[in-house]
Amino acid sequence: RNSFEIDDRLLLMRAVCHEDRKALAILYLKYAPQVRSYIASHVGSVAEIEDLVQDVFLQVCQGKGHYDSSKGVKPYIFGMPGT
């Protein structure tokens, strides 16, 4: 694993366990464009795309889903309903 992945795991832990908004913001800035592109390939409405992206990161913040540390943060985020 590279150091960026370790940092992402720590950010995820801080965002979920410690309700750290800065950590969530960093994850959002890093992964939201990828999530947005993926959702846009399946949804036509810009408003719906933005709503779904926000829903995905709200679920991340709430610690929903199953995080498998062996797979990393990106698969966890992309495993959220709506993606």
Side-chain angles (χ1 to χ4, degrees), residues 46-81:
V46 174
E48 188 175 359
I49 292 166
E50 291 306 316
D51 285 347
L52 288 170
V53 171
Q54 288 181 14
D55 286 347
V56 166
F57 283 90
L58 178 61
Q59 292 175 70
V60 168
C61 183
Q62 294 171 341
K64 301 217 173 169
H66 173 73
Y67 176 66
D68 181 347
S69 63
S70 70
K71 294 183 180 176
V73 173
K74 184 175 179 179
Y76 172 69
I77 291 172
F78 275 82
M80 292 294 156

Side-chain angles (χ1 to χ4, degrees), residues 18-46:
H18 301 287
E19 298 179 4
D20 184 332
R21 291 181 185 265
K22 283 185 179 182
L24 182 62
I26 293 168
L27 289 172
Y28 181 86
L29 289 172
K30 182 173 182 177
Y31 290 105
Q34 297 170 52
V35 171
R36 188 175 292 108
S37 292
Y38 180 78
I39 291 172
S41 69
H42 300 290
V43 176
S45 163
V46 174

